[in-house]
Amino acid sequence: GAVVSQHPSRVICKSGTSVKIECRSLDFQATTMFWYRQFPKQSLMLMATSNEGSKATYEQGVEKDKFLINHASLTLSTLTVTSAHPEDSSFYICSARDRGRGNEKLFFGSGTQLSVL
Amino acid sequence: SQQGEEDPQALSIQEGENATMNCSYKTSINNLQWYRQNSGRGLVHLILIRSNEREKHSGRLRVTLDTSKKSSSLLITASRAADTASYFCATDADGGANSKLTFGKGITLSVRP
């Protein structure tokens, strides 16, 4: 149980295009979903926190107009990287909390490797 | 900002040996968690220890927490080649539904067969 599906796993796009990444909780309702960015051999940097039906809360330094987050239901959150540039190339990971299992541990998607040419 | 700082940054051991990884943090916490990440994949939760706990066990894992020193350790006993991965500690200051986890930089563990 508590499976988080993230899609796509890998995407290559041209500079200037937009890319949408989906994060779904398959067998539970997610109270909160989190989006992280990770550079090679580095830690996870929290980008934003999203709750179903409300605006996402972005971390300092994260451009909300560039990284659009939509959390339309208790099982789906999306991250759209708008007008992507090579510096946006990174590994993006979503995670979610299971409202039925308490508020502690996070369940992670398998990540999306974004490469912007 | 980084809260947890793990050491060592990299650890290489022989299969069957024990692996000890340490994590230090700066501010007060509600709980501390350890996660594992295989290369190019998401993270998997390993174990959680609350601020009022000192030690927990889960299979071959043993985690300790010393809130006076703001440090935690993760011990993996009888390591296996399949334990090769990156390990992260993460601190949770609040423990609520919207509470954020702050991750350390991670430890790369290599277990030689």
Side-chain angles (χ1 to χ4, degrees), chain B residues 11-61:
Chain B
L11 181 61
S12 181
I13 59 174
Q14 199 73 34
E15 199 165 32
E17 294 179 340
N18 295 341
T20 300
M21 292 168 270
N22 302 300
C23 169
S24 60
Y25 57 93
K26 298 175 182 175
T27 61
S28 62
I29 61 171
N30 175 280
N31 65 80
L32 183 145
Q33 305 177 33
W34 285 89
Y35 287 81
R36 165 196 168 124
Q37 182 182 33
N38 285 70
S39 181
R41 306 289 293 176
L43 278 70
V44 175
H45 180 270
L46 294 177
I47 195 166
L48 178 151
I49 187 165
R50 294 183 176 81
S51 59
N52 61 352
E53 298 174 314
R54 292 297 167 258
E55 185 173 316
K56 282 188 80 170
H57 296 256
S58 177
R60 293 185 295 115
L61 304 180

Side-chain angles (χ1 to χ4, degrees), chain A residues 72-106:
Chain A
S73 75
L74 283 170
T75 60
L76 174 64
S77 177
T78 60
L79 167 67
T80 301
V81 183
T82 62
S83 187
H85 291 282
E87 58 266 29
D88 298 325
S89 297
S90 188
F91 191 61
Y92 294 86
I93 314 176
C94 69
S95 67
R97 281 203 171 99
D98 179 354
R99 68 190 307 176
R101 296 176 188 235
N103 297 323
E104 296 170 331
K105 66 181 180 181
L106 295 179

Side-chain angles (χ1 to χ4, degrees), chain A residues 31-32 34 36 38 41-46 49-51 59 91 93 97 103-111, chain B residues 1-2 30-31 33 35 37 40-45 48 50 88 92 95-101 103-105:
Chain A
T31 51
T32 310
F34 302 88
Y36 295 86
Q38 185 180 33
K41 299 189 185 300
Q42 294 193 27
S43 186
L44 282 73
M45 300 300 296
L46 180 65
T49 303
S50 75
N51 290 291
E59 294 299 300
F91 191 61
I93 314 176
R97 281 203 171 99
N103 297 323
E104 296 170 331
K105 66 181 180 181
L106 295 179
F107 299 96
F108 282 82
S110 55
Chain B
S1 61
Q2 297 302 124
N30 175 280
N31 65 80
Q33 305 177 33
Y35 287 81
Q37 182 182 33
R41 306 289 293 176
L43 278 70
V44 175
H45 180 270
L48 178 151
R50 294 183 176 81
F88 294 87
D92 184 344
N98 285 342
S99 183
K100 301 179 284 191
L101 292 188
F103 287 84
K105 295 180 180 178

